[in-house]
Amino acid sequence: MPPRRTVLTLGYAAFVQLRLRPYEQYARARLGDGDLSRRAVARALRRTELSWSTVLTDDPATFTWRVLREAIADALAGLAAPDLDDLHRVLPARAADAALLHERLGMPMGAAAELMGLGEPELHVDLMTARRLLAEKRRAPLG
């Protein structure tokens, strides 16, 4: 039987291999800058790696999604003129994330839900919320 550390390392490597590209796509959509996006994702993944054995007792996807959002918020705070994407300007965070992943980046609902650490029904509710709020905003009078 392989040592526990090797199993943990392999598990973390597999987790990253499956999620790195979607995390980078999300970060790029939020930050608009490739280098800044890669640094934010790397910071989130490093934090996940350092906590991996603890993260495994709960849900790695949920933990990593939370720290990725924190890394992106930190990156935005460091910008002279943070330019939030329009979804995150007008929607609650989780609904904006769901809409960004599914509607803007074209990610299937199951994949988007898994990336965020949600079940598909939860993601569906977030997408419905996003659609309803965006429709209300379009109907609202200007000024």
Side-chain angles (χ1 to χ4, degrees):
M1 184 168 176
R4 178 166 165 73
R5 182 157 176 79
T6 302
V7 171
L8 287 175
T9 302
L10 290 173
Y12 174 75
F15 178 84
V16 171
Q17 184 175 15
L18 290 172
R19 290 168 175 79
L20 179 61
R21 186 166 182 259
Y23 285 159
E24 287 179 342
Q25 290 172 323
Y26 169 80
R28 177 76 186 246
R30 292 288 316 275
L31 297 169
D33 177 274
D35 289 336
L36 187 58
S37 301
R38 282 187 291 280
R39 286 195 305 271
V41 170
R43 189 169 352 136
L45 290 174
R46 180 66 179 146
R47 186 165 163 206
T48 299
E49 180 182 21
L50 292 172
S51 305
W52 189 245
S53 59
T54 304
V55 167
L56 288 175
T57 63
D58 195 18
D59 180 8
T62 302
F63 177 88
T64 308
W65 189 255
R66 181 176 50 80
V67 297
L68 176 60
R69 293 191 88 262
E70 290 169 4
I72 288 171
D74 290 346
L76 285 168
L79 296 176
D83 184 28
L84 288 176
D85 62 275
D86 57 337
L87 293 173
H88 285 83
R89 238 184 266 119
V90 299
L91 294 174
R94 208 168 90 173
D97 287 344
L100 180 64
L101 291 172
H102 182 64
E103 303 290 343
R104 294 261 170 93
L105 298 178
M107 191 175 291
M109 282 184 56
E114 184 180 330
L115 195 69
M116 293 175 66
L118 302 174
E120 250 186 272
E122 293 171 289
L123 184 87
H124 183 72
V125 168
D126 290 330
L127 287 170
M128 297 302 291
T129 298
R131 290 175 184 141
R132 180 181 50 80
L133 292 173
L134 290 171
E136 287 172 6
K137 182 154 182 65
R138 281 192 293 273
R139 286 192 303 267
L142 297 176

